[in-house]
Structures are given as C-alpha cells and as structure tokens.
Amino acid sequence: MAFEKERITMLHGAGGTVMHNFVKNHIVKNFGGLDLFADVPLEAMDDAAVVGDIVFKSDSHAVKPIFFPGGDIGRLSISGTVNDISALGAEPYALASGFVLEEGLSIDDLDRILESMRQTLIEVGVGIVTGDTKVVEKGNLGGCVMNVSGIGKRSIALENNLWTVKKYRSNFSARWTLDSNLVVGDKIMLSGTIGDHGLAVLSAQKGLTFGSKIESDVRPLNKVIQRVLGEVGGVVTMKDPTRGGLADALNEFTEKSKVGILLQEDKIPIRKDVVIACEMLGLDPLEIGNEGKMLFGVVSQKADEVLAFLTQNREGKYAQIIGEVTDAFKGVAMQTIVGGKRIIARPIGDPVPRIC
Ligand code: MG
C-alpha cells in the first residue's frame, strides 16, 4: 500500500499543538543541543533565546493581506520581534531585516510599508542595522514576506525588577522573565483586549464588516514594559499572546512552569464587537492572535501596583488581573461567568490563517 507523503499544511504555521509538535520534532530535533553557549537555548522554546547576556530573536512575517485595518506587515514585523525580545525583560538594541519581495509588488506599496517600519522604529527607539532583499516570481506570497531579527540587552529596569521579585521570593534565581518562572500564588495579568488583531486581519482577508470597525492592536510594547520593570517591578514572566491567542500562551506557561492557571472569565478584557463577531463566525476569542498585548505573571504582593501602573498607560488602559497560578490542577481552567469551570486546552492552531 502506498502512503501519501506527509506535507506542510497551513496548520504547521498556525501556532497551537500542530505547529509546536512540528517545531519540536523537526527543527529542535536537528538544532537542539548544538547551542553550547546559550543560557536560554532553542529547546526552551521561549519567546527568544539568550546567548551570553544578549537576547536574540528572529521572526518572519507573512500576514495576508499586507495592509489591514490598524496596521500593515511593516509595523507588524518590527513590533513582533521587539515584543518577543521584551518578553524576556530585555531592552531591544538593534534589528536586522530580510525582505522577500514578490514580483509585481508596487513600489508605492513597498514605500508605504518601509515608512510604517520607520515610524515604528522611532517609537521603539532602535534602528535596522543590516539586512537583505530577495525577489521571487509572482505566486501566492501576497506581495512580500518580511523577516526581522534583533538583539536585546539587560537593563537597569530588568535588574530592579528581579531584585523586587527576590524580596518576596528568596529562592528566585532566574535572570530573565522566562515562561518557566511561575509559582503558586502568582497573579496573571493581561495588558488589554483580546482578539482585535486576528479579527481585523480576517475582515481584510474575507471582506467582512462587523458593524463597527475592528482594528488591529499591533504596536511595540518595549517602552511600557521597561517602565513597569523599572518603576514597579515584581514581574516574574511575560509572554505576548500571538498565534493561538491566550489559550496557547497560557498553556505554554503551565507546561513550562509545571503549574495550573485558573482564569476568571469576567475579568478577561474583550470588546463587545469582538465578542459578537466571534459568535457570528463560530470562533473562540481565546484562540485568536494578538499583536500588541502582553501577559504578565506577577508576584501577588505587587500585582495591584503593576495593574495600576499599566492602566495609566495607553498600552495598558484596559489591563486586568485575569487569573492566578494554582497547584489544584495542571493546565488552564476558567471560572465561567455562568458558574462552573471550563478547561482551556491548547488549540490545534489559530483559526485565522496568515495573521502574522
Ligand atoms: Mg512571543
């Protein structure tokens, strides 16, 4: 009997269990263990790696379409890499860009994207210092694919944050805000509303309107994060809930920290029009990707202060404490509004393709 060869599907790039298993069984399998100098190696599968005292990240962006409500592939590619570097507590230091351009892309569109990248770089406060451009024949690329890689460094703000954590947890020895740092009692905080980015891209892909305009939340978060670490502190971990959404990011926390997380559904910030659109389309907002949001794990003694600080800033205006770390169970569960608990499993993949 002849078996069809296994091939790459859209699910292999959609976050969730299919992508994670693929990365583990093919990419980490070949490259894991070779990184002798990495303090946070490839196999940790964190938001970025740590080599020496440098945080290092590479991220390709293939969002389709390249312009969508609230953003474009240029702003997305800078923000995505900057936010992953920031999730480890590091301050972005320099970026590199690799463009794959599709034959036929208009130079005007490319210029709009480059100008948007320039504006985002000014917001971030770093530059692109090296890069590369390639062109491929017309096909299904959708105009262009952009890779942005970058490095970040330790900051006084990060040191202050780690000392603050140590005040409440004497055995805390992590040097970065890693996914594996959570312990029972830590509070889980979310910086703002979920689902906006995925639905904005979906509306552009399918030509849908939802009554009101849902815009992407795409934005760099490095400045506000460095301020939270430096001026408040007590943050043990961070993660940006991108592909696979909150459900995927929180499950990753629980797997790596070997704990459970109990969410409170009524605390999860979400716009009413996003709820309605998700109901219409049969989508779970917990599984939809975000590009301008951060999850924080915070020592309970500092949680109210971190929340108060975030809500005073544009990037964290709708921040909420959405849950708590527990040892009553493993994985993620949610106390629902109607009463009772629902298990939040890791999604197979983000329901919206090519959102980042
Ligand atoms: Mg990330």
Side-chain angles (χ1 to χ4, degrees):
M1 198 194 293
F3 288 97
E4 181 75 27
K5 264 191 194 160
E6 207 193 336
R7 291 182 196 279
I8 292 293
T9 69
M10 293 305 287
L11 265 181
H12 288 107
T17 52
V18 173
M19 191 185 87
H20 285 281
N21 290 335
F22 166 69
V23 170
K24 239 183 244 168
N25 299 332
H26 296 269
I27 295 170
V28 175
K29 187 185 155 198
N30 278 289
F31 301 150
L34 296 178
D35 36 21
L36 300 177
F37 303 106
D39 295 316
V40 178
L42 178 71
E43 47 271 38
M45 290 171 73
D46 214 306
D47 294 90
V50 179
V51 188
D53 254 356
I54 301 291
V55 168
F56 189 21
K57 174 66 185 179
S58 183
D59 206 339
S60 293
H61 293 85
V63 65
K64 195 177 179 180
I66 54 179
F67 298 99
F68 48 83
D72 56 74
I73 192 168
R75 182 167 176 76
L76 180 66
S77 60
I78 301 293
S79 302
T81 298
V82 161
N83 290 346
D84 273 339
I85 291 170
S86 302
L88 266 76
E91 195 172 34
Y93 188 58
L95 301 177
S97 66
F99 300 152
V100 179
L101 308 177
E102 187 178 26
E103 188 184 18
L105 172 67
S106 94
I107 299 278
D108 276 355
D109 281 352
L110 181 60
D111 277 339
R112 263 176 78 193
I113 292 165
L114 296 175
E115 169 60 21
S116 167
M117 291 176 87
R118 178 185 158 77
Q119 288 304 325
T120 312
L121 288 167
I122 292 168
E123 268 177 67
V124 172
V126 301
I128 284 181
V129 294
T130 183
D132 172 63
T133 305
K134 295 282 186 323
V135 178
V136 296
E137 302 88 340
K138 203 169 174 55
N140 266 323
L141 207 63
C144 58
V145 167
M146 302 215 152
N147 176 279
V148 172
S149 303
I151 54 173
K153 57 179 183 176
R154 300 187 74 77
S155 62
I156 303 286
L158 174 61
E159 303 296 354
N160 170 74
N161 176 67
L162 298 177
W163 278 111
T164 309
V165 173
K166 271 181 208 159
K167 258 189 237 168
Y168 303 100
R169 197 188 298 170
S170 54
N171 62 349
F172 187 81
S173 60
R175 299 185 68 240
W176 306 93
T177 47
L178 305 178
D179 293 347
S180 53
N181 289 349
L182 289 170
V183 300
V184 173
D186 288 341
K187 300 289 185 187
I188 303 295
M189 206 173 296
L190 176 63
S191 68
T193 56
I194 55 165
D196 308 26
H197 175 74
L199 283 182
V201 173
L202 185 67
S203 72
Q205 284 175 355
K206 310 268 184 210
L208 300 171
T209 46
F210 300 118
S212 61
K213 193 169 185 190
I214 298 174
E215 293 203 325
S216 168
D217 56 357
V218 57
R219 67 164 39 136
L221 297 169
N222 59 308
K223 290 260 167 82
V224 70
I225 286 172
Q226 286 296 310
R227 285 191 59 205
V228 170
L229 299 180
E231 295 174 37
V232 191
V235 175
V236 298
T237 187
M238 288 180 273
K239 189 165 208 65
D240 51 341
T242 53
R243 279 174 300 181
L246 218 51
D248 196 67
L250 291 171
N251 272 286
E252 209 159 334
F253 273 158
T254 62
E255 280 172 27
K256 292 182 190 164
S257 292
K258 300 183 174 59
V259 292
I261 290 176
L262 180 61
L263 291 178
Q264 302 295 331
E265 186 176 22
D266 61 340
K267 296 291 184 202
I268 298 174
I270 181 165
R271 287 163 51 123
K272 213 167 210 145
D273 51 4
V274 169
V275 174
I276 294 167
C278 281
E279 275 172 9
M280 256 166 50
L281 298 163
L283 298 173
D284 182 348
L286 296 179
E287 298 184 356
I288 294 178
N290 312 278
E291 290 293 343
K293 300 290 151 50
M294 194 61 75
L295 279 163
F296 297 85
V298 184
V299 293
S300 61
Q301 295 91 338
K302 294 295 277 187
D304 289 336
E305 257 181 89
V306 171
L307 181 66
F309 183 90
L310 282 174
T311 52
Q312 284 161 23
N313 287 275
R314 187 185 54 163
E315 298 92 334
K317 198 172 160 197
Y318 300 106
Q320 287 278 2
I321 296 171
I322 61 167
E324 189 175 327
V325 178
T326 173
D327 57 0
F329 53 86
K330 291 267 186 280
V332 184
M334 183 165 74
Q335 186 76 50
T336 63
I337 292 168
V338 292
K341 283 197 187 83
R342 182 186 138 196
I343 290 177
I344 308 297
R346 200 160 201 176
I348 295 167
D350 196 296
V352 188
R354 287 186 72 170
I355 58 161
C356 61

